[in-house]
Amino acid sequence: MSILTEILQHNEQFVENKEYVPYQTTKFPEKKMVIVTCMDTRLTELLPAAMNIKNGDVKIIKTAGAVISHPFGSILRSILVAIYELKAQEVCVIGHHDCGMAGLNADAFIEKMKDRSIPEETLSALKYSGIDLNQWLKGFSRVEDAVANSVEMVKNHPLLPEGILVHGLVIDPKTGKLDVVTQAEAE
Ligand SMILES: [Zn+2]
């Protein structure tokens, strides 16, 4: 039985018993904030609890390491949608200690792909078409630096409207403690 099969069984009961009622809200964030954070499973419930975020409060975008690596990738597009379409006014990039993206080794990662039968020809074909896998799969060494880089990427984006506050934080995945890397102040 796959995990999904179990989930679908649960889901049928969930809907039937109207367990969704406490979660009902609108698509507009109550707190007018968009958060970019890591997909780490320890943060699934801890981060919202530690920040007093309830269903309907904020937009949460999750990506490995909370790293925003491309100014015109889907993360920045999501941030802009949250701002322009959903009225978010503050952006928080939240990395965390003990992140899997810290020290991610691209060479070792590529070795794992080969072990899983990705042919060498595929890797070289990507290389010759200009895709630098080593760069793409590279982790970071200091989470604070990674957060600061992502904050800069958002702050300097040519399509970011004026008056949007962009903050950078690091969360402890055990205690939920937030440390501020960079905090923007309203003028
Ligand atoms: Zn992480």
Side-chain angles (χ1 to χ4, degrees):
M1 189 159 71
S2 71
I3 298 167
L4 180 61
T5 311
E6 278 176 44
I7 289 175
L8 291 175
Q9 284 170 357
H10 164 86
N11 184 255
E12 220 169 280
Q13 293 300 308
F14 181 88
V15 176
E16 205 173 285
N17 300 337
K18 292 196 167 49
E19 290 174 51
Y20 53 80
V21 170
Y23 301 98
Q24 283 180 329
T25 176
T26 74
K27 68 175 181 177
F28 293 99
E30 296 285 345
K31 288 190 177 164
K32 306 204 185 316
M33 175 178 273
V34 53
I35 290 172
V36 180
T37 190
C38 185
M39 63 186 188
D40 193 293
T41 46
R42 291 169 294 180
L43 302 180
T44 306
E45 291 184 83
L46 177 69
L47 182 138
M51 295 181 74
N52 191 27
I53 288 166
K54 303 281 185 299
N55 212 38
D57 276 350
V58 302
K59 300 286 154 192
I60 301 184
I61 302 162
K62 295 207 164 192
T63 187
V67 173
I68 307 172
S69 44
H70 198 288
F72 289 93
S74 55
I75 302 286
L76 250 156
R77 182 175 56 202
S78 301
I79 292 172
L80 292 175
V81 168
I83 292 170
Y84 282 96
E85 300 293 325
L86 303 161
K87 321 274 183 233
Q89 288 162 354
E90 295 189 38
V91 181
C92 276
V93 178
I94 310 178
H96 67 99
H97 298 297
D98 190 30
C99 183
M101 286 297 279
L104 182 72
N105 180 311
D107 289 328
F109 200 146
I110 291 166
E111 280 311 308
K112 284 180 191 162
M113 291 172 177
K114 291 181 191 164
D115 291 345
R116 302 276 296 261
S117 309
I118 303 298
E120 192 77 55
E121 303 81 73
T122 303
L123 297 170
S124 25
L126 287 171
K127 193 172 175 181
Y128 288 116
S129 59
I131 292 166
D132 184 348
L133 284 183
N134 282 78
Q135 182 60 34
W136 191 51
L137 298 172
K138 198 176 70 173
F140 51 75
S141 39
R142 273 187 83 237
V143 65
E144 292 82 2
D145 295 342
V147 166
N149 287 341
S150 295
V151 165
E152 284 305 304
M153 174 98 63
V154 178
K155 266 168 66 177
N156 297 325
H157 200 277
L159 302 177
L160 190 79
E162 261 180 50
I164 300 296
L165 302 181
V166 188
H167 316 287
L169 300 135
V170 175
I171 191 168
D172 185 319
K174 284 198 197 84
T175 64
K177 182 176 188 303
L178 289 169
D179 290 316
V180 176
V181 176
T182 148
Q183 182 170 7
E185 291 295 345
E187 291 182 9

